[in-house]
Amino acid sequence: MRLFHTSDWHLGQNLHGQERDFEHACFLDWLLGQLGLHRPDVLLIAGDIFDTVNPPLKAQERLYDFIISAHEQNPALTIVMIAGNHDSGSRIELPAPLMRRLRTHALGRVLWLDDGQLDVERLLIPLPSADGEIAGWCLALPFLRPAEVTGAQLGDDYLRGIGQVHEWLIAAANAKRQPGQALVAISHAHMAGGSVSEDSERSLIIGNAEALPASLFDASVSYVALGHLHKPQRVNGEERIRYCGSPIPLSFSEIGYQHQILDVQLDGETLVSVESRLIPRSVNLQRLEAAPLADILKQLAELPDIDLLAETQRQPWLEVRVRLDEPQPDLRQQVENALQGKAVRLVRIAAEYAGSGGREDSQEDRLIELDQLTPQELFSRAWQESYGSEVDEQTLKDFAVLLQEVQQEGEQP
């Protein structure tokens, strides 16, 4: 059985106010070509399909047009996608009955039966191989919100509730599968030891309380397709537990990432190989590192001029960092003047001031960019301003639970 492991598409994402639809369209066209060329049995999309719980219409059209095209190209392809922490579980599941006709399974939430038991049947998806026989089972684990895995049956310990869900699901899968059938888990979670990107990965809960141990997936699971962390990586060096990363750089901290999908080969229950397939970067992200203003203006002047025959949509996104001794009210105007006729698109200017300890201030009218702050960070700032002290860990945890409840209410269709 052959799998393609993808995650963190973040359709509808903006980069400092600039939409990324062209880049996502290029990725999806490339992925469709790879599916046609290599003919995998299964495509996995491990969460954060959209960037927000209420994605723009164009982003939703991108997803469903892709699914239809993939099915028309290869009617035998099975697609499994789960909700991530950026997604609305209810929205992901809403068209599920229609998508099943396209061999696409959409899982946004875990549900509980009337007797308090986990509804494991809806989370176990058969994976047919090219000959139509069931070659494995997919254990679909969408992002698990505290309200879904705590309560009367599981208590109030979030990590313990997650552990119990994994234990029950793996046990049910082992009871269902036949000899030679592989177990493949797809999950959206922050695993302990994972390398986090600055700016672009929203904290799941609070601090390290969210990090899950790799031991949740015992040796009976042949491969674990993870989503959430944008940098491709193995968990604890294990070949079978992997993040494939995001398909495009979602912030300037991801400039150096080799964005990829993973091509996974299984022979029965045995993991044979995991091969990276690098995704062509349709639009580069370019950053000028902090330097005095005169040096920055000189570097801007040396940038390539606009090629009238080239696509404007492929011009790099540019972030400029400037080191200043004192505020420059016309800083943005100077930068924009230097960029006249240059083949880049300016999205952000940041300044470092002498004596600030390297602290950066945005020059977008010197306002805090709220889309770059998590709700937890905003809460911590408000607490500091109101009480003059750092918020304590227990209050942060209480805030996290309240936030999850409010987000869930907002997701209801």
Side-chain angles (χ1 to χ4, degrees):
M1 180 170 57
R2 189 175 196 174
L3 318 170
F4 272 11
H5 170 193
T6 75
S7 76
D8 295 273
W9 292 6
H10 286 269
L11 300 177
Q13 193 237 8
N14 287 329
L15 182 67
H16 301 287
Q18 304 300 313
E19 70 167 31
R20 317 289 299 279
D21 181 65
F22 173 75
E23 293 159 87
H24 281 122
C26 290
F27 160 65
L28 293 175
D29 285 345
W30 174 85
L31 179 57
L32 195 62
Q34 293 294 302
L35 291 171
L37 180 64
H38 299 288
R39 312 291 287 186
D41 302 297
V42 182
L43 171 65
L44 302 174
I45 312 172
D48 281 356
I49 299 161
F50 299 116
D51 192 59
T52 63
V53 295
N54 292 305
L57 180 60
K58 186 183 294 185
Q60 297 178 64
E61 290 176 343
R62 287 284 180 212
L63 173 65
Y64 301 124
D65 284 346
F66 169 81
I67 290 172
I68 291 169
S69 297
H71 178 73
E72 289 176 344
Q73 176 178 268
N74 180 8
L77 176 70
T78 298
I79 300 176
V80 181
M81 63 183 193
I82 59 171
N85 58 299
H86 280 249
D87 298 311
S88 161
S90 300
R91 182 182 296 277
I92 294 298
E93 290 190 352
L94 192 60
L98 290 174
M99 287 195 291
R100 279 196 291 270
R101 295 177 178 270
L102 305 173
R103 297 177 68 96
T104 297
H105 305 268
L107 281 301
R109 303 164 295 169
V110 298
L111 299 180
W112 300 87
L113 302 174
D114 291 340
D115 60 1
Q117 296 299 305
L118 178 68
D119 187 354
V120 294
E121 289 299 320
R122 70 189 299 271
L123 302 176
L124 292 176
I125 299 165
L127 301 177
S129 61
D131 61 9
E133 297 294 323
I134 295 178
W137 292 87
C138 182
L139 291 67
L141 286 158
F143 170 60
L144 300 172
R145 304 184 187 279
E148 294 175 328
V149 295
T150 57
Q153 295 294 322
L154 298 170
D156 296 325
D157 188 325
Y158 175 60
L159 291 184
R160 181 179 176 277
I162 285 180
Q164 188 67 76
V165 167
H166 283 70
E167 182 180 328
W168 286 338
L169 186 57
I170 292 173
N174 276 309
K176 181 181 285 287
R177 71 167 171 176
Q178 299 298 314
Q181 293 178 345
L183 298 187
V184 175
I186 178 173
S187 174
H188 192 89
H190 180 184
M191 305 303 292
S195 177
V196 178
S197 306
E198 298 175 7
D199 304 330
S200 57
E201 289 166 355
R202 184 183 302 165
S203 179
L204 293 181
I205 304 297
I206 290 293
N208 290 327
E210 67 193 43
L212 308 180
S215 58
L216 287 174
F217 301 103
D218 64 34
S220 67
V221 181
S222 300
Y223 184 76
V224 182
L226 294 169
H228 178 57
L229 300 185
H230 298 166
K231 183 177 183 179
Q233 56 195 286
R234 298 174 179 84
V235 174
N236 297 337
E238 285 201 53
E239 186 76 3
R240 72 183 183 101
I241 307 179
R242 306 276 291 248
Y243 287 98
C244 64
S246 58
I248 67 172
L250 296 165
S251 74
F252 284 92
S253 66
E254 300 178 15
I255 288 176
Y257 290 3
Q258 287 193 311
H259 295 274
Q260 59 194 249
I261 65 171
L262 296 176
D263 186 344
V264 182
Q265 296 271 9
L266 293 157
D267 183 4
E269 301 173 34
T270 303
L271 177 63
V272 176
S273 65
V274 181
E275 181 180 353
S276 299
R277 299 202 173 277
L278 298 183
I279 302 167
R281 188 168 292 186
S282 56
V283 178
N284 285 321
L285 269 63
Q286 189 170 340
R287 170 189 278 170
L288 296 189
E289 296 295 347
L293 179 57
D295 293 346
I296 290 296
L297 294 177
K298 181 180 178 182
Q299 292 181 55
L300 295 176
E302 294 171 351
L303 291 174
D305 293 332
I306 291 175
D307 180 353
L308 296 179
L309 299 179
E311 294 179 83
T312 302
Q313 291 177 303
R314 293 191 182 274
Q315 291 178 357
W317 302 115
L318 177 66
E319 179 185 74
V320 175
R321 296 185 172 191
V322 187
R323 189 177 300 124
L324 299 173
D325 294 323
E326 59 183 10
Q328 294 276 347
D330 64 341
L331 175 60
R332 183 173 186 85
Q333 189 63 50
Q334 291 190 61
V335 171
E336 289 182 340
N337 288 342
L339 286 172
Q340 287 294 321
K342 299 299 180 181
V344 293
R345 291 174 288 176
L346 177 67
V347 294
R348 185 170 185 259
I349 304 172
E352 290 182 5
Y353 291 94
S356 68
R359 176 179 57 84
E360 296 176 8
D361 291 323
S362 169
Q363 289 294 312
E364 306 298 332
D365 298 326
R366 304 296 299 281
L367 295 174
I368 295 173
E369 297 181 50
L370 295 181
D371 65 334
Q372 299 301 309
L373 294 177
T374 66
Q376 290 84 1
E377 289 168 335
L378 289 171
F379 177 76
S380 297
R381 286 173 181 241
W383 183 279
Q384 176 75 35
E385 290 180 5
S386 297
Y387 301 107
S389 62
E390 296 290 335
V391 61
D392 62 275
E393 187 71 18
Q394 185 56 52
T395 301
L396 279 174
K397 290 181 179 178
D398 292 342
F399 172 77
V401 172
L402 179 62
L403 175 65
Q404 297 286 357
E405 292 175 352
V406 170
Q407 288 177 332
Q408 270 198 309
E409 290 177 2
E411 292 173 6
Q412 298 302 318

